[in-house]
Amino acid sequence: MVKKAVIPAAGYGTRNLPITKVLPKEMFPIAGRPAIDYIVREAVEAGIEEILIIISRSKNMIMDYFDCSLELEMFLNQAQKSHLIPLLELPNVHIQFIRQVYAKGLGDAIRLAERFVGDEPFAVLLPDQFFINETANALQKTIAAYNQYKETIIGVKAVKQEDLKLYGVIKGTELTEGLYHITDIIEKPQTAPPSNLAVIGRYVFTPEIFSFLNETLPGIGNEIQLTDAIKKMLTNYAAKAQVLEMDCFDLGKDEEYMTLLNYMFKK
Ligand code: G1P
């Protein structure tokens, strides 16, 4: 059973400067709620009971959001606005926070979860990848594949050839429709991507990933890359890729964020 999830939210959000100087990307509003609220709810809906959010010094706003606001509740009661109190209800899940002190990359951030995870399989959700959850839950689908194979599962999606250099890209053999045995994985291939299947921000790992993360050196962008640790892991452990076909929006891309807002507004 996958009961724990890690949400890395420590990045600088450089693609969205200057707003990310003061507003973390994870707090970008989507129909009145911050993006990370939806990500946490996706995890809870998929059966997650404990979440570790990895933040940085400038991201305390995320901690504040997942705290109770007794003062505000008192005010709403006194001001005869108690009908608004249900809006403040937090997702029913235990959340912890840890700070990544140096921005050394996604792999380094996940490494900080080792004690939290212990000896269990765990999920990772990248909060800038927003899945529309109406027909299926992206993490739930990833966990379902884990439950079937008991191996590391990487959520992937077919993306346009010219965009593959922005993602981790897998190479694999298809076992059943949408489910691949991974033979290789490359972070941001600048030439000759091994397929059109990009890593899309939902993972389930077995705890063995930590020993590989601990020996991973900085890779592309001089950052410790999660993808590089996965590649090392493949020499000893099998891993699978699950195609996630639902609509996915990258909050780091203005046009996708706008499309998402439009979609949520029309709902
Ligand atoms: C990260 C991962 C990459 C993945 C991407 C999905 O890259 O390293 O493998 O494809 O997220 O959004 P980033 O976008 O943080 O550079």
Side-chain angles (χ1 to χ4, degrees):
M1 295 290 258
V2 184
K3 294 284 168 209
K4 292 182 176 172
V6 178
I7 303 179
Y12 280 117
T14 50
R15 287 187 295 166
N16 300 86
L17 283 169
I19 185 68
T20 41
K21 257 171 83 180
V22 292
L23 182 68
K25 187 167 53 184
E26 296 78 13
M27 295 300 292
F28 281 10
I30 298 166
R33 292 182 179 278
I36 196 159
D37 182 295
Y38 294 89
I39 303 291
V40 165
R41 285 170 204 269
E42 177 185 330
V44 175
E45 203 183 285
I48 296 297
E49 292 174 359
E50 277 183 79
I51 295 178
L52 178 71
I53 303 183
I54 300 163
I55 56 171
S56 60
R57 195 152 38 113
S58 58
K59 305 266 183 125
N60 289 347
M61 202 186 272
I62 299 176
M63 279 177 77
D64 292 344
Y65 181 77
F66 288 107
D67 197 356
C68 292
S69 180
L70 297 177
E71 198 185 304
L72 180 57
E73 282 180 32
M74 233 154 70
F75 168 79
L76 291 175
N77 268 322
Q78 280 164 6
Q80 260 117 55
K81 291 184 177 177
S82 54
H83 62 285
L84 297 176
I85 291 179
L87 286 175
L88 302 178
E89 230 168 77
L90 294 169
N92 184 19
V93 65
H94 182 77
I95 304 182
Q96 297 184 34
F97 298 87
I98 192 171
R99 270 188 179 172
Q100 185 188 26
V101 178
Y102 300 103
K104 289 198 282 191
L106 177 61
D108 178 67
I110 300 301
R111 198 159 61 168
L112 298 174
E114 190 168 1
R115 271 170 186 258
F116 165 79
V117 163
D119 201 20
E120 292 176 40
F122 66 103
V124 171
L125 301 96
L126 303 189
D128 50 4
Q129 298 297 335
F130 190 102
F131 285 88
I132 297 274
N133 251 353
E134 274 168 311
T135 45
N137 170 314
L139 184 63
Q140 210 161 40
K141 191 152 189 207
T142 316
I143 290 178
Y146 171 80
N147 288 339
Q148 189 174 356
Y149 293 98
K150 299 286 186 289
E151 290 171 10
T152 285
I153 308 287
I154 318 270
V156 294
K157 193 182 164 144
V159 309
K160 285 186 280 182
Q161 197 66 19
E162 63 266 33
D163 289 341
L164 286 166
K165 57 180 180 304
L166 304 172
Y167 295 92
V169 181
I170 68 137
K171 180 177 178 185
T173 46
E174 194 167 21
L175 298 178
T176 57
E177 208 196 330
L179 199 277
Y180 290 75
H181 169 74
I182 304 179
T183 52
D184 199 5
I185 185 165
I186 301 168
E187 181 65 13
K188 303 193 173 71
Q190 296 305 297
T191 53
S195 76
N196 67 340
L197 292 175
V199 176
I200 200 68
R202 298 295 181 273
Y203 312 75
V204 174
F205 289 106
T206 56
E208 288 84 30
I209 189 67
F210 291 111
S211 57
F212 298 96
L213 273 172
N214 286 330
E215 55 186 48
T216 298
L217 299 172
I220 194 161
N222 201 28
E223 294 190 342
I224 297 176
Q225 297 290 351
L226 179 57
T227 303
D228 292 346
I230 299 170
K231 188 181 170 83
K232 275 178 195 250
M233 194 180 74
L234 290 178
T235 54
N236 296 327
Y237 296 91
K240 304 240 178 312
Q242 170 67 60
V243 176
L244 301 174
E245 265 157 5
M246 41 231 104
D247 277 333
C248 177
F249 299 88
D250 183 345
L251 299 182
K253 290 185 183 150
D254 279 344
E255 66 282 11
E256 291 193 22
Y257 177 52
M258 298 290 269
T259 314
L260 173 64
L261 291 186
N262 230 334
Y263 173 88
M264 297 296 274
F265 181 70
K266 284 193 189 135
K267 237 170 48 156

